[in-house]
Amino acid sequence: NVRVKDDVRQVVTSVEAAAGLGVRAWDRGRLAVDVELGYEIQHWDNLADYIRFSDDALDGTIDRSTTSLGLDGLVGRIIVTR
C-alpha cells in the first residue's frame, strides 16, 4: 500500500592495497615465463543504501540500510610473454 520512489546519489569510498613478489622462472630467447604471488585487500564503504520495510504490522514503516564490503586474499599469476 506504499509507493516508494528513491533517487539518492551518494559517495562510495574505497581503499585498496596489494603486496607481492615475482620471479622470472624461465627465459629462452623471445619467450619468458614470470611467476608472481601476493596478497590483496579491498574495502568499499557506504555501499548498498537500500530502503527496506522494517515493520510488517505498520504500513509504510521504512528504514535505510548501508553496509560495507571487504575482500582480501592470496593472488597468484603466471605470465607468459613472447
Side-chain angles (χ1 to χ4, degrees):
N1 297 345
V2 177
R3 289 186 181 186
V4 176
K5 182 179 179 188
D6 189 26
D7 186 19
V8 176
R9 295 177 187 191
Q10 67 188 42
V11 176
V12 176
T13 58
S14 69
V15 176
E16 299 179 21
L21 297 172
V23 64
R24 176 143 297 174
W26 192 68
D27 190 2
R28 297 275 193 246
R30 294 178 50 189
L31 186 65
V33 177
D34 297 325
V35 178
E36 298 177 354
L37 188 64
Y39 195 78
E40 189 172 309
I41 299 171
Q42 299 179 5
H43 180 79
W44 292 282
D45 196 25
N46 201 22
L47 281 178
D49 190 15
Y50 295 113
I51 291 178
R52 65 180 178 89
F53 293 98
S54 58
D55 192 349
D56 60 352
L58 298 172
D59 289 341
T61 306
I62 58 174
D63 189 17
R64 295 183 91 53
S65 175
T66 59
T67 187
S68 298
L69 174 65
L71 302 170
D72 64 304
L74 191 64
V75 177
R77 294 182 185 97
I78 298 175
I79 303 167
V80 178
T81 56
R82 297 185 350 170

